[in-house]
Amino acid sequence: MTLLYFAWVRQKIGKHEENLALPAGVATVADLVAYLKRLGPGYAEAFADESRIRVAVNQRHGKFDAAVAADDEVAFFPPVTGG
Amino acid sequence: MTLLYFAWVRQKIGKHEENLALPAGVATVADLVAYLKRLGPGYAEAFADESRIRVAVNQRHGKFDAAVAADDEVAFFPPVTGG
Amino acid sequence: MKTKIKIQPEDFSIDAEVAALTAEGDPGAVASFTGHVRREGDLAALTLEHYPHMTEGEIARIAEEAASRWPLSGVTVIHRIGQLAPGARIVLVAVAATHRQAAFQACEFLMDYLKTHAPFWKEEKRGTERHWVEAHAGDDRAAERWHK
Amino acid sequence: MKTKIKIQPEDFSIDAEVAALTAEGDPGAVASFTGHVRREGDLAALTLEHYPHMTEGEIARIAEEAASRWPLSGVTVIHRIGQLAPGARIVLVAVAATHRQAAFQACEFLMDYLKTHAPFWKEEKRGTERHWVEAHAGDDRAAERWHK
């Protein structure tokens, strides 16, 4: 799967994009977040307050209970502030 | 007093502006309209359907019961259609 | 509040008016409206007449009423007169404010009142015939909803 | 309905976009909105980041939703990205329709949804410090009122 990070999520994790083989036991966005949190202190910090994180799966806004699959593009970012 | 006519009121009466000494017995817009109707067929036609006539006294929208005085500017016109 | 009112035969620049409204202060939001001559059937042109002594004063009163209802930093109203071709712009109302909801509401309010209170009259030319446009009851209702 | 969506660093011309929206058909009314970088305190610049794969699709969905609610002839959305100075224009939403109430309502709807759904993020530069702008609860409430 492709993971994308924007704004301060990107800054805390230290990268904009990465590819990841779907980890064992990861079926939803919430599972993926739990997995990422354990990858390092930057990830842990980025996902520390999950209420501040929004997600898009394949370029569509989603929720943490949304399913994720091996060839999905999953993006994490703060609430949007355009306009 | 100065009388002004706009749009089809102007066309029916055949002039844009005229000066008039305040006629005896004319105290309100309604009195003035009754007086003007008798001035000729153009006036009679212009004021035939009073529901289609709007009035401004000294450049402010008014009603037919508004008072008129010798030095007023009174304008008659159809409902406005700008914008 | 900064108010600019112009009655003119010439066309206008929305970009220039928006730039003027945002040249100073902190207006984060500008809502604008342009009305255009309809492009329909045999409508050849529209001619706009107005009541010069009254028009600017009436629009200024409408702008003051808007400023008393919403926190605005500027209002610009430009209304064209004379003969206009189909598609031509007739009117610009632009409202600057810190917040977009105030700008939108005030812009719509100004248009509703302009339609029902500003002394302009439109004459249509269709082929060789000319006739005066009738006022719309819908415009009166649009203005009345602001009384509530 | 004609939809134009552009994400670009460059500024735009409101006049040109309104002209394009009214070049054909019978749109008598165009409601427009421009959002500007605030001019306040020590705010030196705003930098806008977005999610390129997603932005246009999300705005297109918002425009389709607007077109399903109101009779519109065209929608144009231009959103700038990159670094913008105080006073600079950030976004243009312009909506053309036969009737002005549809144009106004759809323009406000589009702005409310753009603010809460389009994947853009603003970073402020104040002096030498940079920080990400927080989302406003007021924007969520503004978008929610359209659910009713």
Side-chain angles (χ1 to χ4, degrees):
Chain A
M1 64 201 326
T2 302
L3 300 182
L4 298 172
Y5 310 113
F6 293 95
W8 54 255
V9 178
R10 169 177 56 73
Q11 290 177 327
K12 286 181 196 294
I13 291 173
K15 57 184 114 177
H16 168 56
E17 179 172 352
E18 62 186 318
N19 290 299
L20 193 76
L22 185 67
V26 167
T28 66
V29 170
D31 297 338
L32 181 59
V33 168
Y35 172 85
L36 291 170
K37 272 181 166 175
R38 293 190 302 263
L39 285 189
Y43 292 91
E45 201 191 329
F47 292 107
D49 181 357
E50 292 179 18
S51 73
R52 299 181 66 208
I53 299 290
R54 299 292 179 271
V55 65
V57 179
N58 299 325
Q59 300 96 43
R60 300 291 292 260
H61 290 293
K63 299 206 162 148
F64 273 41
D65 60 2
V68 293
D71 55 356
D72 283 346
E73 176 177 296
V74 182
F76 292 103
F77 43 78
V80 303
T81 57
Chain B
M1 64 201 325
T2 302
L3 300 182
L4 298 172
Y5 311 113
F6 293 96
W8 54 255
V9 178
R10 169 176 57 73
Q11 290 176 329
K12 286 182 197 294
I13 291 174
K15 58 184 116 176
H16 168 56
E17 180 172 351
E18 63 185 319
N19 290 299
L20 194 75
L22 186 67
V26 167
T28 66
V29 170
D31 296 337
L32 181 59
V33 168
Y35 172 85
L36 290 170
K37 272 180 166 175
R38 294 189 301 264
L39 286 189
Y43 292 91
E45 200 190 327
F47 292 106
D49 180 356
E50 293 179 18
S51 74
R52 297 182 68 209
I53 298 289
R54 299 292 178 271
V55 65
V57 179
N58 298 323
Q59 300 96 45
R60 299 290 292 260
H61 290 294
K63 300 206 162 148
F64 273 41
D65 60 3
V68 292
D71 53 357
D72 283 345
E73 177 176 296
V74 182
F76 292 102
F77 43 79
V80 302
T81 56
Chain C
M1 190 192 64
K2 203 161 50 176
T3 304
K4 173 179 174 177
I5 299 163
K6 287 271 181 194
I7 315 299
Q8 60 186 39
E10 297 81 22
D11 199 5
F12 44 77
S13 161
I14 312 172
D15 286 293
E17 299 306 331
V18 169
L21 280 170
T22 56
E24 52 190 51
D26 178 22
V30 180
S32 309
F33 178 87
T34 50
H36 301 252
V37 180
R38 300 191 59 180
R39 212 184 263 106
E40 49 110 342
D42 58 349
L43 181 63
L46 213 57
T47 303
L48 273 132
E49 175 174 335
H50 78 128
Y51 179 0
H53 293 178
M54 179 171 170
T55 315
E56 288 196 25
E58 189 64 26
I59 296 174
R61 274 191 291 277
I62 300 168
E64 279 160 32
E65 175 65 25
S68 76
R69 291 176 178 229
W70 296 278
L72 308 178
S73 59
V75 165
T76 296
V77 176
I78 303 180
H79 203 299
R80 295 176 70 188
I81 49 173
Q83 183 165 314
L84 300 172
R89 305 191 292 189
I90 303 168
V91 63
L92 168 70
V93 172
V95 178
T98 302
H99 298 292
R100 73 182 180 283
Q101 287 176 16
F104 272 119
Q105 295 261 300
C107 191
E108 198 166 359
F109 171 89
L110 282 160
M111 274 308 303
D112 286 346
Y113 270 81
L114 198 72
K115 283 260 180 192
T116 51
H117 287 70
F120 292 94
W121 299 274
K122 290 188 184 117
E123 191 187 35
E124 287 184 351
K125 185 178 171 189
R126 292 180 183 272
T128 57
E129 303 245 309
R130 291 175 171 276
H131 70 93
W132 294 94
V133 173
E134 294 281 333
H136 296 281
D139 286 328
D140 288 329
R141 285 193 298 272
E144 276 161 18
R145 73 202 156 111
W146 300 103
H147 293 312
K148 287 163 199 164
Chain D
M1 189 193 64
K2 202 161 53 175
T3 304
K4 174 180 174 178
I5 299 164
K6 287 273 182 192
I7 315 300
Q8 61 186 38
E10 297 80 23
D11 199 5
F12 44 79
S13 161
I14 312 172
D15 286 293
E17 300 305 331
V18 169
L21 281 171
T22 56
E24 52 191 52
D26 179 22
V30 180
S32 309
F33 179 87
T34 49
H36 300 253
V37 180
R38 299 191 58 180
R39 214 184 262 109
E40 49 110 342
D42 58 347
L43 181 63
L46 213 57
T47 303
L48 273 133
E49 176 174 334
H50 79 129
Y51 179 178
H53 293 178
M54 179 171 170
T55 314
E56 288 195 25
E58 189 64 25
I59 296 173
R61 274 191 291 277
I62 299 168
E64 279 160 30
E65 175 66 24
S68 76
R69 291 176 177 228
W70 296 278
L72 308 179
S73 60
V75 166
T76 295
V77 176
I78 303 180
H79 202 299
R80 295 176 72 189
I81 49 172
Q83 183 165 314
L84 300 173
R89 305 191 291 189
I90 303 168
V91 64
L92 168 70
V93 172
V95 178
T98 302
H99 298 292
R100 72 181 181 284
Q101 286 176 17
F104 273 119
Q105 294 262 299
C107 192
E108 197 167 359
F109 171 89
L110 283 160
M111 272 309 302
D112 286 347
Y113 270 81
L114 198 73
K115 284 260 180 191
T116 51
H117 288 69
F120 291 95
W121 300 274
K122 289 187 184 118
E123 191 186 36
E124 287 184 351
K125 185 178 172 189
R126 292 182 183 270
T128 57
E129 304 243 309
R130 289 175 172 279
H131 70 93
W132 293 93
V133 173
E134 294 281 335
H136 296 282
D139 286 329
D140 287 329
R141 285 193 298 272
E144 277 160 18
R145 72 201 156 112
W146 300 103
H147 293 313
K148 287 164 203 164

